[in-house]
Amino acid sequence: VWETGVDEEAEERWREERERIAAADPEDVPAGRAGPLPREPVATLESFDGREPIEPRWSPDGESLLFAALGPDPDGFLRADLYRWNPSTGRVERLTRWADLRSADPLPTPTGGAGRAVAVRNRHGFSQLVTVDLSTGAVAPLTEPSVQVVWATPRVSPDGRRLAAVRHREGVWRLVVAEIVGAEGAPLALGEVLELPTPEGATVADPAWGPGGATLFATVGAGGFLDVWAFAVGDPGEETSRRRLTRTLGAALAPEPTPDGAALFYLSLEHDGLDLWRMELGEAAVRSSLRGAGPAEGPAEGAPPAARPGLPPELAPAVRPPLPPPVEPFAEAVLPPPDPYGAGPQELTPLVGFALAPSGLALEAGARGGDLVGRLDWFLLGSLGDAAAVEGGVVTAAWRGLPVELSAAVFASSEEPSRQDTPPPAGGCAAPAPLDRETSGLALAAAWDRRFPAGALGARLGLYGAEVEPLGVSAGEGRGKLETAAATLRVGLAWAPSRGKLSLPLELGGGLQEGETDSERWRRWGLRAGAGVELGEAGLRLSWQRHGAEDVLLAFDRFHVGGVRRSVLPEDADFARVPAPALPAGYLTGEEHEAQRLELSLEALPAPLFYERHRVASDLAGKVGWLSLAGVELRGSLPPTPIVALPAARFTAGAAYVLEDPVGDLQDEVRLWAAVAWRS
């Protein structure tokens, strides 16, 4: 928000600077003003919680601004709602919730109070004008919803008796005016909708009423030019005249007259972007000139001359371009009975994944199938690798046709950490061989999530059963194949309140897994928390993890730190793995684990810098000291993207320097990695 008057302080500073320059060099040409002086805003509303304010309109009393902003609904879809901002106090109030409203313009309120506004509702492809009660958020229709008629930028006259808007019908945007019928407090309706005459082939946008309600300003596109025009709007049945007010080579947009009618603000498109202009304008003079002009002014309207025969239409806007052919009327027909969508039309896409890390090299290949909207998503993947890379295959599918996402996976995997160049040391609370195993089983899961402004809440319930065959010398030797089963509950909350470029991301989550292996019951749990501060692309984040296990007897049921997550292992079957790409798989093992991580993001770097440390504890070996490393890592996740036929994915790439290693010989080594893992 800026003051519209002259900034006397800025003028005084400019005069003093001009005098200083003249005194320093009296023979120099006096400094001239190349443009308007910078203005200090009276108040500023930054984007908040990821929502950017758009289409502001002053309340009739000039105390607050009504605006629209996009925010997520519980399913994550962006919806437009109305808000009110008081610049003097800075308070922002949400007026509607998931109402799909834009371009709201308040009605005058003679008796005070919150009043009502006229707005456009675009929902499910239908467009209509509605009224909104600004105290309750209740919405009432002014026009019927339609896919053939599209409305935009409704504007209420100063006396509240008439409404102007632009309406798209039969391929053309037209300026229309209608009477508002209804008493204060009663439902409102529109009288007869009248189209104002515009130049042939023109399109119209951004109407704005003059202070007396007798003149309507709008941007008119005619003959290849976009300019501000004024229309005389009398009582119904009176002749309407028009006059062109600007002549630009770029565009004159969004006109708005001052309350006294003495001037007109508008945006001008220049070579370096949009500029804000003020045109001195007497309302009485404009009305007088319009009354004497008549409805058709011919060449005086300023349109370019018609194209001469032989001149190519590419010369537009120097010559008038030919009019497009008329739009064919919309052909209405009776629709046949709908076919159930079901799983939708399926399509196949090849998938390729990989992992290159100190734990080994693994390559994945397979196919993804599913429909365009992601109701059914499935993929088949196989993995081959060396060293401790996870090998095997998985068939997984997810169904999203319900409020809860259902998924299932059948998998078989094999991994042998003892084959790594740097196998897990005995000081890491486990000998190498106990983690070597082959696993096959079935995993089922149900997931639920809800979005809210600047955050999301999610929960996931999983079940899995598997057969595990220990390889080599291990605590399971002599038992043969072991049967294991577990139930898992995970919950998570992510929230990132923001104001402008400043954001404060917060994260909380946890998981509990109850299961048994070879009829021996155990329990595992994990907690995580994170907080940070971000300013644009720069930021600082601190995160913490804590894991614990009770009554576990076999090494692979304990938590093991190191390696990367792979696509062939479902999350619930891989609960005990703590990914640490810089470390060999299973480098640290124990019933307890704690991790701390600090990330620093800088605008000059493509990936954040980090410092990370881990430690584990075991009933057999006690507590191990901190293993710490520092480096640079780019990591993230992508949701399922049906439109490009991709399932969910996690990716990571980076390099780290091992600062301390209390259990092995990795200290002072540099470790590199890169990996992609797919999820249904």
Side-chain angles (χ1 to χ4, degrees):
V1 178
W2 286 294
E3 294 282 356
T4 57
V6 177
D7 189 340
E8 297 293 348
E9 293 184 2
E11 292 286 346
E12 181 62 26
R13 288 194 299 269
W14 184 78
R15 283 193 293 268
E16 291 176 356
E17 179 65 13
R18 194 167 183 260
E19 292 172 359
R20 185 191 66 80
I21 295 175
D25 188 356
E27 297 182 1
D28 193 8
V29 177
R33 185 178 298 180
L37 298 177
R39 287 179 175 267
E40 290 295 329
V42 177
T44 301
L45 175 62
E46 302 279 2
S47 61
F48 56 101
D49 295 341
R51 293 169 290 188
E52 297 183 354
I54 57 175
E55 302 176 320
R57 299 293 294 173
W58 283 106
S59 61
D61 59 8
E63 295 295 324
S64 61
L65 278 161
L66 188 66
F67 67 92
L70 294 175
D73 66 8
D75 294 319
F77 294 101
L78 293 178
R79 310 277 290 273
D81 278 297
L82 300 184
Y83 299 78
R84 181 165 46 213
W85 173 47
N86 189 317
S88 61
T89 64
R91 181 170 181 257
V92 176
E93 178 186 5
R94 184 171 184 171
L95 303 178
T96 65
R97 191 169 295 273
W98 311 315
D100 303 311
L101 300 177
R102 294 174 178 266
S103 302
D105 195 40
L107 281 85
T109 54
T111 60
R116 288 182 284 187
V118 177
V120 176
R121 167 176 273 179
N122 293 320
R123 175 178 285 181
H124 308 313
F126 291 85
S127 178
Q128 68 179 136
L129 293 178
V130 298
T131 60
V132 187
D133 189 317
L134 299 181
S135 60
T136 65
V139 177
L142 273 179
T143 65
E144 293 298 322
S146 173
V147 295
Q148 303 176 36
V149 177
V150 181
W151 295 91
T153 55
R155 295 292 181 259
V156 181
S157 62
D159 58 9
R161 294 176 47 242
R162 287 179 291 179
L163 177 75
V166 289
R167 181 179 66 181
H168 186 274
R169 189 170 64 178
E170 298 177 354
V172 180
W173 287 101
R174 297 293 189 192
L175 181 61
V176 299
V177 175
E179 294 287 331
I180 299 177
V181 181
E184 184 179 358
L188 300 181
L190 288 185
E192 183 183 0
V193 179
L194 303 176
E195 289 189 358
L196 300 187
T198 54
E200 183 182 2
T203 188
V204 189
D206 301 329
W209 289 97
T215 304
L216 193 60
F217 301 93
T219 294
V220 178
F225 294 90
L226 289 170
D227 281 295
V228 175
W229 290 56
F231 297 82
V233 185
D235 294 327
E238 289 189 13
E239 191 175 52
T240 300
S241 57
R242 60 182 184 262
R243 176 170 172 253
R244 183 176 178 177
L245 300 181
T246 64
R247 296 176 183 273
T248 66
L249 296 179
L253 309 168
E256 190 66 37
T258 57
D260 59 4
L264 182 78
F265 289 96
Y266 67 93
L267 294 175
S268 178
L269 180 62
E270 307 294 338
H271 68 282
D272 56 350
L274 287 170
D275 289 339
L276 179 61
W277 285 75
R278 175 186 169 115
M279 174 192 295
E280 297 302 321
L281 184 68
E283 171 68 14
V286 172
R287 185 166 57 251
S288 175
S289 65
L290 287 171
R291 290 303 180 197
E297 299 185 13
E301 294 178 344
R308 297 178 181 177
L311 290 178
E314 291 81 8
L315 293 178
V319 299
R320 186 190 299 274
L323 294 177
V327 177
E328 293 290 334
F330 184 81
E332 296 186 4
V334 178
L335 293 176
D339 294 327
Y341 183 81
Q346 299 291 297
E347 59 180 5
L348 288 176
T349 303
L351 282 182
V352 177
F354 74 97
L356 177 60
S359 56
L361 170 65
L363 298 176
E364 297 175 345
R368 177 266 178 192
D371 61 301
L372 289 175
V373 300
R375 174 173 285 189
L376 174 65
D377 190 20
W378 62 268
F379 63 82
L380 166 67
L381 277 178
S383 175
L384 294 175
D386 63 1
V390 180
E391 297 183 305
V394 64
V395 180
T396 182
W399 174 258
R400 302 185 181 91
L402 300 171
V404 175
E405 176 186 316
L406 303 177
S407 61
V410 178
F411 65 97
S413 66
S414 174
E415 53 184 313
E416 299 181 61
S418 62
R419 295 172 53 198
Q420 299 174 104
D421 293 337
T422 307
C429 299
L435 296 178
D436 295 359
R437 63 196 183 277
E438 293 180 350
T439 309
S440 59
L442 169 68
L444 305 174
W448 170 91
D449 70 87
R450 279 296 177 267
R451 304 295 180 90
F452 56 89
L457 175 67
R460 189 174 188 276
L461 177 64
L463 302 172
Y464 86 91
E467 280 190 346
V468 182
E469 182 175 1
L471 303 176
V473 180
S474 74
E477 186 179 21
R479 302 191 187 191
K481 292 185 178 180
L482 306 175
E483 293 186 355
T484 182
T488 309
L489 175 64
R490 301 174 190 260
V491 293
L493 170 68
W495 186 40
S498 65
R499 194 64 179 261
K501 293 184 177 181
L502 178 64
S503 175
L504 301 175
L506 302 171
E507 182 182 9
L508 294 172
L512 175 65
Q513 190 172 64
E514 293 270 0
E516 63 178 29
T517 300
D518 201 24
S519 300
E520 297 175 349
R521 298 190 61 83
W522 47 259
R523 174 183 296 167
R524 296 188 291 223
W525 54 268
L527 297 173
R528 71 178 189 278
V533 56
E534 296 178 351
L535 186 62
E537 299 297 323
L540 186 68
R541 287 200 180 201
L542 177 64
S543 58
W544 169 85
Q545 291 185 77
R546 185 81 165 84
H547 298 94
E550 300 174 7
D551 302 324
V552 292
L553 299 179
L554 303 179
F556 48 77
D557 284 336
R558 300 184 179 96
F559 289 98
H560 39 280
V561 182
V564 294
R565 292 208 183 274
R566 301 308 311 130
S567 309
V568 297
L569 284 172
E571 290 188 43
D572 296 330
D574 209 24
F575 189 94
R577 188 188 309 272
V578 180
L583 302 178
Y587 195 70
L588 301 175
T589 307
E591 287 89 354
E592 297 181 14
H593 164 258
E594 184 178 2
Q596 300 167 359
R597 182 182 177 97
L598 182 67
E599 287 189 8
L600 175 64
S601 300
L602 301 173
E603 294 186 5
L605 294 178
L609 303 172
F610 75 92
Y611 169 79
E612 180 178 290
R613 62 180 189 169
H614 300 264
R615 68 178 177 183
V616 295
S618 170
D619 293 339
L620 297 177
K623 184 176 291 187
V624 176
W626 288 103
L627 185 152
S628 60
L629 48 138
V632 57
E633 181 181 29
L634 177 65
R635 62 177 179 174
S637 61
L638 298 173
T641 313
I643 197 67
V644 292
L646 289 178
R650 293 177 178 173
F651 58 88
T652 178
Y657 179 77
V658 181
L659 301 172
E660 288 184 280
D661 181 7
V663 301
D665 300 322
L666 298 184
Q667 189 164 325
D668 298 329
E669 287 192 13
V670 175
R671 321 286 285 180
L672 306 175
W673 66 91
V676 174
W678 302 104
R679 288 286 180 263
S680 60

